[in-house]
Amino acid sequence: MERQSSFGSTSSAGSAFSKSPATPKIVKDAEKEHGPESGGGQNLLVALFGALYTLAKEKINDTAGVAMFAIWVDFLMIFTLLLMYEYPWKVNPDIWIYKVFYYIQIHLPIAYKGYMFYLVIFYILVAILFISVAICVWVGWCFMNDSFPFLWPIKVARVVVSLFVSMFYIASLNIFLMASACDKQGGHWKHIVFDVDCLALPHVIHAAFSIASGVVFLTVALLLALADHELEPMSKSLLAAPHSMCELRSLLCKTVITVADILFKPQPHTQVIMYTISCGLIFYYHARMVSEGNHSYHSAC
């Protein structure tokens, strides 16, 4: 579905915003891009894409410094993962660089801090996730009803989405999935860090929340990646892209890497295969996008 058809009725939401003394730039952009349309607009699809457009249009990582920081965070999360001493590298695990790697993989110091400490951090993130989803539902409801009584939830959601979902996606998903990192030992499924029975109460409840939260988090991230593309050809954002497919596919590859790291840790050979395929595809998708961009530029010239 093209973006234009998805947001054909967002101008009606803009009229509701215009009653407020502080009309958000997001609605002005929607009005300018799509123009007024009669009929329609009161449906779930407009609510969904209206919420996605609102959250994806303006992000804190549009500045050059924050954009570079986001790129380095993604790179370091994967790079340090592949160099961790749990794999058979001929290195001294006590050297300082591996202590840095350990803290970059933030789910590890959180988990090894203790079972209760991890659960506190885990449920804080779960609460943030579901509150963010509730805000997205509220934004969709506002689009359906042409009424935006408050603007602050949208601003909060934008910050959460930029940090929690976009910039620290791998780190957040690691923490969500850590409760499900189990291995079969002596006929019982034991957690690889906490040494608790994964199928016994109360941990089975935590594991269920872990899987459910991971699925919801992935769904939100995929939907936001799908909506996150730039229609303005003169955009100066370093992360601007004319379409979302490259980022969408890369996000799926990062998810596979994260799942392999947490859930397939007892099967290192399977991990290596998943890592190799996913990293190769990430390189291919981005190299292809750069090649297509250069081709389009020279054709235009």
Side-chain angles (χ1 to χ4, degrees), residues 13 41 51 53 61 74 88 119 158 175 234 257 269 293 297:
Y53 182 79
N61 60 0
D74 257 5
L119 289 179
R158 281 179 183 158
I175 296 173
M234 302 303 292
I257 292 172
H269 293 89
Y297 174 76

Side-chain angles (χ1 to χ4, degrees), residues 99-113:
K99 291 181 171 59
V100 175
F101 290 174
Y102 174 78
Y103 283 102
I104 290 176
Q105 296 292 320
I106 191 169
H107 63 287
L108 295 178
I110 289 176
Y112 284 104
K113 193 74 174 178

Side-chain angles (χ1 to χ4, degrees), residues 14-25 28 148-151 155:
S15 63
F17 263 124
S18 62
K19 299 174 183 178
S20 170
T23 303
K25 181 177 180 293
K28 294 179 181 178
F148 287 78
F150 306 104
L151 301 183
K155 297 177 182 178

Side-chain angles (χ1 to χ4, degrees), residues 168-204:
F168 296 105
Y169 172 76
I170 296 176
S172 302
L173 188 59
N174 274 332
I175 296 173
F176 281 130
L177 295 180
M178 194 65 190
S180 301
C182 302
D183 184 28
K184 195 170 185 179
Q185 302 174 3
H188 295 279
W189 285 95
K190 293 285 188 180
H191 196 277
I192 60 176
V193 175
F194 305 126
D195 195 30
V196 296
D197 192 337
C198 290
L199 299 181
L201 290 172
H203 189 81
V204 68

Side-chain angles (χ1 to χ4, degrees), residues 9 24 63 92 99 139 141 187 226 231 249-250 256 263 299:
S9 302
T63 62
N92 178 10
K99 291 181 171 59
V139 173
W141 178 88
L226 187 64
L231 296 181
R249 291 165 178 165
S250 296
V256 171
L263 302 185
S299 297

